[in-house]
Amino acid sequence: MITGGPGTGKTTTVVRLLALLQAQALGEGQGEREQALRIRLAAPTGKAAARLNESIAGQVSRLPFDKLAALWESHDQAPDTPGPTQPEDASPWERSLLRENPAEALELAIPTEVSTLHRLLGSRPDTRRFRHDRHNPLPLDVLVVDEASMVDVGMMAAMLEALPPRARLVLLGDKDQLASVEAGSVLGDLCARAEGGHYTPATAEWLSEATGQPLPAETLDADGQPLDQAIAMLRVSHRFTADSGIGQLAAAINLEAEPAAKRRAINEALSAGFADLSHQKLSADDERGLARLAVTGCPERFPGAHNADTPPVGYRHFLSVMAERRPADDTDQQAFDDWARAVIAAHGDFQLLCALRRGPWGVEGLNERVRQALERERLIDSQDGRQRWYPGRPVLVTRNDYGLGLMNGDIGITLDMPRPDAKPGDNRRLLRVAFPAGDGTDRIKWVLPSRLQAVETVFAMTVHKSQGSEFTHAALVLPDAPNPILTRELVYTGITRARHWLTLVETGRGQLMDAAQRRVMRVSGLGS
């Protein structure tokens, strides 16, 4: 298990781990194809899978494969031993080996394609059982699961049941994030003792011999449990530095301290004037303030916005990209794909997050209020809400649709496309929803709105739905009244969805401080 907050290097660590495991396996087999480890990558949702896919691909491209390949090249081999005959249907990996290019062979042996856990296990219609189980185990040697905090007890049990007896399992995730929507808090319970390390002297001695890296004395514990020895907690954030308000606020929310000390730490983070952090207070009837935030992102409220290469934005940004970059040539499908990619990327530059579904500060209330604000600015045209589908409507998939290849959590943008049967001079348009393909490529999947049965508008989304996602600028809106769902884990998760800019919006007095003191109480049966 590898746990740690955003930017601590979980993906970097696991990619290097996989490369070393693969190099070791190839070295022991002296380059034989059958000795390569069968590695699979998975995540709980389509959105998390797409993010891991992108991150893994970037990390793999930076690995020093020539040095890693030396791990098996150093094995004594007869220099003139002829290689096997190249079969006609040899894979790129096999052809690379036969060309005696071990560095390329190793690179091709590290997978970058990520699937959802449901797809990996083989979902079956109308049943909670999967195609892969103890009687039909998964064909793999190593399984990596990202965003493991989102995996509930039932899914974790099904996944473990489907693993071959000698398979390795690597769980990645942030133990402080929200637990799964379904039963249990699996990663949080398993990593409950991660802060203290609790490594035994035998573990410390083995690590020192294997890596030359001594463990800090404060992480040692002669009475450490076996499970403790399998957990690594990454503690240094490479994204949120000491001068990052997002990082300081997240740390203050998670601080284990007396209420007064915790309140003081949160107030210090909010009032210190950090360049990447904006703190706003809105009243229930402040439509103008909400509209300004949703439309522009309020860059004037960020001390560091004027010096930034990419200042904080609101929804006007992606809607302007949609309007200004639409292809002039209705027959150029590649141009429309490029346009959709640009719009989808621009949409990820801002997102409103909230805790609840109902009420004026929940998903339902905020989505309607933001739609009205964008319509007043003439950025969208829904005919005052009479049209459900209109250009610029962002939608969130709320249920896996394997027929369309769309997963729960996928986000698409409604765009107007030329009609395939249009005659010259016919300017009528046909609405399509553009989704990233989610298969590791940059392809665009165009879907008719009528085929989307489980989607909702996503000008605002709940923090629960945002897990596994990141946004350049995230605006976390807290409700104006106490609610049991408003917890430390929820606020921390919402804060850490922001990659570069965070706006924290309070609509009621004291809700942030109350939430920071309230923890999720879940029973999964895994706690010590």
Side-chain angles (χ1 to χ4, degrees):
M1 281 166 280
I2 302 173
T3 187
T8 52
K10 296 186 292 292
T11 305
T12 301
T13 300
V14 80
V15 167
R16 294 179 179 181
L17 172 62
L18 294 179
L20 288 169
L21 287 173
Q22 197 66 279
Q24 184 183 46
L26 291 169
E28 291 172 350
Q30 295 187 354
E32 294 175 15
R33 175 64 179 92
E34 61 270 23
Q35 294 299 322
L37 295 174
R38 298 168 299 170
I39 301 173
R40 295 296 302 273
L41 311 174
T45 67
K47 186 69 175 179
R51 263 197 60 226
L52 179 61
N53 193 308
E54 179 182 345
S55 182
I56 288 275
Q59 292 293 336
V60 167
S61 68
R62 292 191 288 271
L63 282 174
F65 287 106
D66 53 343
K67 296 179 181 178
L68 289 165
L71 291 178
W72 86 75
E73 283 184 300
S74 61
H75 284 253
D76 291 332
Q77 300 181 28
D80 298 323
T81 302
T85 303
Q86 179 173 331
E88 293 182 2
D89 60 346
S91 69
W93 196 94
E94 291 166 318
R95 288 196 297 270
S96 175
L97 275 183
L98 293 166
R99 290 195 304 268
E100 297 182 353
N101 189 338
E104 184 180 350
L106 179 55
E107 182 174 3
L108 291 169
I110 308 299
T112 56
E113 182 178 344
V114 186
S115 67
T116 63
L117 281 171
H118 282 87
R119 179 163 290 171
L120 176 76
L121 295 175
S123 293
R124 296 160 62 187
D126 304 320
T127 177
R128 294 181 66 89
R129 301 293 299 175
F130 296 96
R131 185 163 55 85
H132 288 288
D133 55 20
R134 70 181 63 185
H135 305 295
N136 180 29
L138 291 162
L140 54 79
D141 301 302
V142 181
L143 174 61
V144 176
V145 180
D146 194 24
E147 297 291 351
S149 62
M150 300 169 65
V151 182
D152 60 77
V153 169
M155 176 59 78
M156 187 68 76
M159 181 189 71
L160 292 173
E161 184 183 64
L163 285 178
R166 297 182 62 83
R168 292 178 170 98
L169 173 65
V170 182
L171 301 179
L172 298 178
D174 186 342
K175 68 179 182 62
D176 296 316
Q177 275 192 33
L178 274 169
S180 59
V181 176
E182 301 294 334
S185 175
V186 178
L187 188 72
D189 286 347
L190 293 176
C191 296
R193 287 161 52 91
E195 288 278 355
H198 301 285
Y199 301 116
T200 63
T203 298
E205 181 180 356
W206 179 85
L207 278 172
S208 180
E209 290 179 357
T211 68
Q213 179 67 45
L215 286 174
E218 61 270 20
T219 65
L220 302 182
D221 181 358
D223 298 320
Q225 300 174 4
L227 183 62
D228 297 327
Q229 317 312 305
I231 300 172
M233 180 173 175
L234 308 180
R235 303 161 191 266
V236 178
S237 176
H238 304 284
R239 182 187 307 161
F240 303 139
T241 57
D243 59 350
S244 164
I246 300 173
Q248 294 295 320
L249 182 59
I253 293 293
N254 271 341
L255 186 66
E256 297 288 354
E258 293 297 320
K262 189 164 189 173
R263 189 175 294 110
R264 187 163 54 251
I266 293 172
N267 282 328
E268 287 175 358
L270 292 174
S271 61
F274 287 111
D276 59 346
L277 180 60
S278 170
H279 183 210
Q280 294 192 38
K281 295 187 178 180
L282 295 177
S283 60
D285 58 352
D286 190 358
E287 294 299 326
R288 181 175 297 180
L290 174 64
R292 189 181 305 114
L293 172 63
V295 173
T296 71
C298 296
E300 70 278 1
R301 289 182 171 268
F302 288 88
H306 59 283
N307 292 324
D309 294 332
T310 55
V313 297
Y315 287 132
R316 173 183 285 159
H317 173 60
F318 97 87
L319 291 168
S320 297
V321 171
M322 181 186 76
E324 295 167 6
R325 299 194 189 179
R326 191 185 189 283
D329 183 357
D330 283 354
T331 64
D332 189 346
Q333 183 59 47
Q334 182 60 51
F336 276 92
D337 287 351
D338 293 341
W339 174 51
R341 273 188 285 274
V343 175
I344 291 169
H347 178 266
D349 287 336
F350 177 72
Q351 182 63 56
L352 274 177
L353 303 175
C354 53
L356 311 175
R357 290 202 57 81
R358 294 180 173 82
W361 300 109
V363 164
E364 295 176 0
L366 283 173
N367 271 324
E368 176 58 20
R369 295 164 73 186
V370 171
R371 183 200 61 76
Q372 293 175 7
L374 295 173
E375 190 129 27
R376 286 194 298 269
E377 294 288 326
R378 299 185 178 181
L379 294 169
I380 60 171
D381 182 11
S382 67
Q383 298 183 20
D384 292 328
R386 294 189 298 274
Q387 291 291 338
R388 182 185 179 211
W389 291 100
Y390 50 86
R393 181 195 179 197
V395 294
L396 175 77
V397 177
T398 59
R399 188 173 64 239
N400 291 347
D401 187 329
Y402 293 102
L404 294 176
L406 297 175
M407 299 294 116
N408 184 5
D410 286 352
I411 292 177
I413 310 294
T414 310
L415 300 173
D416 60 328
M417 297 284 291
R419 298 177 66 92
D421 57 348
K423 303 289 191 298
D426 186 351
N427 294 322
R428 290 180 299 166
R429 297 287 185 260
L430 195 64
L431 293 181
R432 291 281 191 275
V433 185
F435 290 92
D439 58 1
T441 70
D442 62 352
R443 292 189 307 109
I444 293 296
K445 183 178 299 181
W446 297 92
V447 182
L448 275 170
S450 59
R451 298 192 65 192
L452 296 170
Q453 302 303 314
V455 295
E456 60 186 28
T457 303
V458 70
F459 289 123
M461 72 163 64
T462 62
V463 173
H464 278 89
K465 286 291 187 181
S466 75
Q467 285 182 273
S469 301
E470 288 181 344
F471 308 97
T472 306
H473 176 198
L476 175 60
V477 181
L478 301 181
D480 57 355
N483 193 294
I485 202 172
L486 197 60
T487 62
R488 179 173 111 176
E489 289 84 356
L490 183 139
V491 173
Y492 170 81
T493 302
I495 289 170
T496 54
R497 296 312 88 200
R499 189 183 299 116
H500 295 308
W501 308 98
L502 171 69
T503 297
L504 179 67
V505 180
E506 290 194 81
T507 62
R509 183 181 296 275
Q511 300 311 315
L512 174 62
M513 298 301 176
D514 288 349
Q517 304 294 342
R518 188 183 299 122
R519 299 211 60 178
V520 173
M521 299 301 295
R522 304 287 291 274
V523 178
S524 63
L526 298 174
S528 57

